[in-house]
Amino acid sequence: MTHTTRNERRAAADRPAVPKWLRILLPAALILTWLTVAGIGGPYFGKVDEVSSNDQTSYLPESADATRVQEMLGDFDDTEAIPALVVFVSDEQLSDEQLSSLAEVMTKVATIEGIEGIGADVSPLIPSEDGLAAQAFVPILSSAEVGDTVAELSAELATAAPEGIETFVTGPAGFTADLVSAFAGIDGLLLGVALLAVLVILLLVYRSFLLPIAVLSTSLFALCAALLTVWWLAKWDILLLSGQTQGILFILVIGAATDYSLLLVARYREALRVENDKWVATMSAIKGSFEPILASGGTVIAGLLCLLLSDLKSNSALGPVASIGIIFAMLSALTLLPAMLFAFGRAAFWPRRPRFEPDVVAAENGMPDRGLWTKLAHLVQRRPRIIWVATTLVLLIGALGVTQLKADGVAQSELVLGQSEARDGQQALGEHFPGGSGSPALIIVDESEMDDAVAVLLADDGIDGVAVTTEDSPSGSAPVTAEGITPVGPPGTPEPSPTTVDGQVLLRATLTDAADSAAAGQTVTDLRAEFIDTAPSALVGGVTATAVDTNTASIHDRNLIIPLVLAVITLILMVLLRSVLAPVLLIITTVISFGTAMGVSALVFNGLFQFPGADPAVPLFGFIFLVALGIDYNIFLMTRVREESLQHGTRKGVLRGLAITGGVITSAGLVLAATFTALAVIPILFLVQLAFIVAFGVLLDTFVVRTLLVPALSYDLGRVIWWPSKLSKHPQPENHEPEAP
């Protein structure tokens, strides 16, 4: 029996006894509490769409022009309907008989539930100049199930249209239906794929039945609690929730809770080898895991809460929503999982139960004498400088690809991957009508400046025509030319008067280019610049303006938040590691890794997947998750390295920390990468790109940065890594080799 083992046993004997009834009651109470929460929160998985919204305008800053126009729009038009655009296309000239038949079709579809004005003519058919197409507008009630209504409309049109005429449903309602359909798999498919991926990895890691179930239960119960909290906060209008935010919440909670659980289970296994009492082993596991789990979750929460400073509400809303998820992930890992592990005891690891063997552990001196991670530690010991210099150079070369990243926004029609009737319809529309038909630019301007605003619009090549809202026309608007407002009706119809609200009028300008194209965006930008001098009161809104304002806010958020997140996480690491140099170096390695992940992703997106580009928020979200989550593995490693350094010296501490944490950190990285990869099952461009960036970046952190770069750099520097703490200045105990940087 070694001196160390005797000390450990003496310390254990000196610990105050915990009453047996409390040992039983406390874990049971924790398990019952979490079961109750899961039972209440579980049914909310199918109800998220009741409190979520995917309307881009609702996420813009209140000061944005598009937001202000949207708020004022109801004063000119009391309908809240979402316009759908029906397009009929033929290979031959449409005859009068065919046009009459199509008009009857439109009258018939007006009876579909969910369409405003049931039983009435939806709108007159508008033939194209080339005679090969016709279009009509269908108002879809926003209170209806837009996706179901559009699907029913599309099916009815395909059945009722004359032979040889192709039909499409596009416009805002068509693209909204695409988004609804794409997000429909979040509650079932996304969750199922993520949990299955985690289960497979856990089975391979533990080769046990009970442990994977316990860890998965920890993750799932944490998600139920988070979803229950977020749902009611969204219901009370305290938080904004979208399908995108919901998907990220699911993945983040499952991945984070599993990672924290892996760390605690590893500590529990270690404790069972030196403690015969499973209560003592459980408390030891909590004590050893508490600080790294709290620090890890704290860095993620700090990074996420920086999003509150975002102009874009879709970004600022994600911060608190995801932070709530991380809080419950930590709580479940530190309460529910220990309670289950205590209940199972050594049987949790069946059939590979850890033995009570304190003498063997003492002989190992805390470091495995064989295995991949021990061999890797010896490799780092032999060639530290070559390893960290070489890995840094490779990462920097990979980061060069970031120059190819096209993150300046994508067209609305490209947001949903795969087949899209709305996208096909917009393409057909652009071939026969002005590209912006159905999604005009909306200009609200003082009536006294109306003529000047119309002159600017008509002079712009990006505008095909202008109409003004008026109550005197059957369609609710009348064309405007340089000569004035054109009467709609038989000859002799008097010129209508524009509708005015607080001395303002609403103009609708049809764009020459597709409303979600870069050319249309440039037209809106140019118009705003022109209006500054000619019609200062003019506000430009609509679909295109919303996209322009969204991109502008997104770029602002990216430039503001990335440096802020770096500063906040650096401060947290300084407190955790009681050092200045180590946190700075860890942040630098993580940023280099992020650059490499973005560089490789850019090359893959452009060359392999041929994506049309990326949203400006993609680099921001990628940075938040990769830096906040990637630093987790450095925290897991370096907190253990510091713990070992206090006893064995820094260089031995680095080797021991690498060997001891290698398995658990690698498993955690694989789990997190697998869960984020699951996001790719939702056919939304943003989520697919985020899934690749985070999954690849996490694997890079796991197998390169944490495994080679950080240990080799720390070993090469020696105890100076802890500067300016006492650990960097004084000789360190027990068999430490010379410490020369």
Side-chain angles (χ1 to χ4, degrees):
M1 186 79 64
T2 66
H3 180 66
T4 302
T5 303
R6 285 198 302 271
N7 286 341
E8 289 174 349
R9 288 194 163 184
R10 189 179 299 115
D14 292 338
R15 293 169 188 154
V18 177
K20 187 175 181 180
W21 64 267
L22 184 58
R23 294 186 178 199
I24 296 173
L25 182 61
L26 182 58
L30 287 172
I31 292 172
L32 285 174
T33 299
W34 279 101
L35 279 172
T36 302
V37 171
I40 297 172
Y44 283 81
F45 278 103
K47 300 169 62 178
V48 178
D49 59 342
E50 297 177 10
V51 294
S52 64
S53 170
N54 295 305
D55 179 14
Q56 272 190 304
T57 308
S58 64
Y59 293 102
L60 283 173
E62 294 181 1
S63 59
D65 280 10
T67 307
R68 295 165 65 188
V69 169
Q70 186 67 26
E71 291 173 350
M72 299 166 66
L73 203 55
D75 296 332
F76 292 92
D77 188 351
D78 58 3
T79 180
E80 295 183 357
I82 303 174
L85 192 59
V86 174
V87 183
F88 300 98
V89 179
S90 174
D91 292 332
E92 300 178 353
Q93 291 275 335
L94 291 170
S95 65
D96 291 340
E97 183 180 350
Q98 287 177 312
L99 289 173
S100 177
S101 177
L102 292 177
E104 293 178 6
V105 170
M106 293 307 302
T107 300
K108 182 179 180 181
V109 300
T111 61
I112 294 175
E113 186 177 358
I115 293 179
E116 189 176 58
I118 295 176
D121 289 338
V122 177
S123 80
L125 276 177
I126 304 174
S128 62
E129 291 186 4
D130 60 14
L132 299 176
Q135 63 171 324
F137 297 93
V138 179
I140 307 293
L141 292 172
S142 59
S143 58
E145 294 290 340
V146 176
D148 293 340
T149 303
V150 169
E152 187 177 353
L153 173 62
S154 178
E156 184 66 33
L157 289 170
T159 303
E163 186 176 353
I165 297 179
E166 200 170 3
T167 64
F168 303 94
V169 179
T170 185
F175 288 114
T176 298
D178 276 354
L179 287 174
V180 170
S181 175
F183 282 121
I186 281 186
D187 287 337
L189 181 62
L190 174 62
L191 194 57
V193 169
L195 292 175
L196 180 61
V198 172
L199 177 61
V200 170
I201 293 173
L202 292 176
L203 288 171
L204 293 174
V205 168
Y206 291 130
R207 283 169 274 182
S208 161
F209 175 74
L210 285 178
L211 266 181
I213 297 300
V215 172
L216 271 185
S217 298
T218 301
S219 303
L220 196 54
F221 285 17
L223 182 56
C224 288
L227 185 59
L228 177 63
T229 305
V230 167
W231 194 95
W232 280 105
L233 290 175
K235 179 73 172 179
W236 296 330
D237 294 326
I238 297 174
L239 293 177
L240 280 172
L241 191 60
S242 67
Q244 179 176 291
T245 303
Q246 178 190 349
I248 293 173
L249 173 68
F250 284 12
I251 292 304
L252 195 58
V253 172
I254 293 172
T258 305
D259 278 6
Y260 303 152
S261 298
L262 286 166
L263 182 62
L264 189 134
V265 169
R267 284 285 192 167
Y268 186 57
R269 187 199 295 270
E270 286 183 44
L272 286 175
R273 296 184 67 197
V274 297
E275 301 285 358
N276 202 23
D277 187 324
K278 64 178 184 179
W279 174 268
V280 175
T282 303
M283 293 299 102
S284 176
I286 294 175
K287 182 180 178 182
S289 306
F290 182 80
E291 186 178 41
I293 289 177
L294 194 63
S296 171
T299 57
V300 177
I301 291 172
L304 289 168
L305 290 182
C306 288
L307 290 172
L308 287 171
L309 299 177
S310 298
D311 278 350
L312 206 58
K313 294 179 185 177
S314 55
N315 292 346
S316 60
L318 177 64
V321 169
S323 296
I324 289 170
I326 295 296
I327 289 171
F328 282 110
M330 291 191 294
L331 283 175
S332 63
L334 290 171
T335 57
L336 174 61
L337 182 60
M340 289 191 291
L341 291 179
F342 172 77
F344 293 145
R346 297 177 193 273
F349 297 87
W350 183 87
R352 304 174 65 202
R353 302 186 187 194
R355 298 177 180 176
F356 174 60
E357 45 188 8
D359 294 341
V360 175
V361 173
E364 291 176 352
N365 199 20
M367 180 170 175
D369 59 358
R370 63 185 185 277
L372 172 63
W373 303 107
T374 301
K375 292 178 181 178
L376 194 59
H378 290 154
L379 175 63
V380 168
Q381 184 180 25
R382 290 194 299 270
R383 297 285 187 272
R385 188 162 300 175
I386 291 175
I387 290 174
W388 75 258
V389 170
T391 52
T392 300
L393 289 175
V394 170
L395 291 172
L396 289 174
I397 290 171
L400 294 176
V402 78
T403 58
Q404 304 301 310
L405 183 66
K406 297 180 291 185
D408 52 358
V410 293
Q412 183 186 25
S413 58
E414 303 290 351
L415 293 179
V416 177
L417 300 175
Q419 193 275 334
S420 166
E421 181 181 337
R423 185 190 306 126
D424 296 340
Q426 180 170 280
Q427 183 177 354
L429 185 72
E431 293 173 358
H432 303 284
F433 295 93
S437 296
S439 300
L442 305 175
I443 300 93
I444 293 180
V445 62
D446 288 348
E447 186 177 15
S448 60
E449 297 176 354
M450 172 181 160
D451 292 341
D452 293 331
V454 169
V456 170
L457 292 168
L458 294 176
D460 196 303
D461 292 337
I463 300 298
D464 183 75
V466 181
V468 63
T469 301
T470 173
E471 297 175 357
D472 299 335
S473 297
S475 63
S477 64
V480 181
T481 65
E483 287 73 29
I485 301 175
T486 302
V488 178
T493 301
E495 180 178 312
S497 300
T499 300
T500 61
V501 177
D502 296 331
Q504 294 178 307
V505 297
L506 172 63
L507 302 174
R508 302 176 187 269
T510 301
L511 296 161
T512 303
D513 304 289
D516 62 353
S517 65
Q522 188 59 51
T523 297
V524 167
T525 302
D526 293 343
L527 287 174
R528 285 174 168 172
E530 286 283 337
F531 285 148
I532 290 175
D533 296 324
T534 56
S537 67
L539 299 173
V540 183
V543 172
T544 307
T546 297
V548 170
D549 290 344
T550 299
N551 283 348
T552 301
S554 212
I555 292 170
H556 165 270
D557 292 348
R558 186 177 67 196
N559 296 340
L560 170 68
I561 292 172
I562 286 179
L564 183 62
V565 170
L566 284 175
V568 169
I569 293 180
T570 302
L571 290 175
I572 292 175
L573 288 177
M574 287 179 180
V575 173
L576 175 67
L577 299 176
R578 290 83 160 174
S579 165
V580 171
L581 182 59
V584 169
L585 293 178
L586 291 180
I587 286 292
I588 290 173
T589 60
T590 305
V591 169
I592 292 174
S593 174
F594 166 72
T596 305
M598 293 303 301
V600 172
S601 297
L603 298 177
V604 171
F605 294 164
N606 297 340
L608 182 60
F609 297 145
Q610 297 183 341
F611 288 149
D615 189 275
V618 166
L620 174 61
F621 279 47
F623 180 85
I624 292 291
F625 293 125
L626 278 183
V627 172
L629 294 173
I631 208 71
D632 280 3
Y633 304 125
N634 284 330
I635 288 174
F636 290 172
L637 171 66
M638 293 304 288
T639 51
R640 188 58 181 256
V641 167
R642 190 177 191 282
E643 180 182 329
E644 297 293 334
S645 298
L646 290 170
Q647 296 183 27
H648 305 285
T650 297
R651 286 201 167 98
K652 276 196 174 182
V654 169
L655 302 180
R656 294 161 69 88
L658 175 58
I660 294 169
T661 63
V664 64
I665 294 179
T666 300
S667 301
L670 289 173
V671 164
L672 194 62
T675 52
F676 265 93
T677 299
L679 275 176
V681 303
I682 305 300
I684 299 293
L685 178 63
F686 177 89
L687 294 180
V688 171
Q689 290 175 326
L690 187 64
F692 183 89
I693 290 170
V694 177
F696 179 79
V698 165
L699 293 177
L700 199 63
D701 277 329
T702 304
F703 290 101
V704 179
V705 177
R706 187 271 315 168
T707 302
L708 296 171
L709 178 54
V710 171
L713 180 59
S714 301
Y715 188 91
D716 193 24
L717 290 173
R719 67 171 180 254
V720 75
I721 193 82
W722 307 114
W723 181 88
S725 69
K726 292 181 180 179
L727 198 56
S728 69
K729 299 174 183 177
H730 301 294
Q732 298 164 346
E734 295 190 30
N735 302 322
H736 65 281
E737 66 280 4
E739 293 279 358

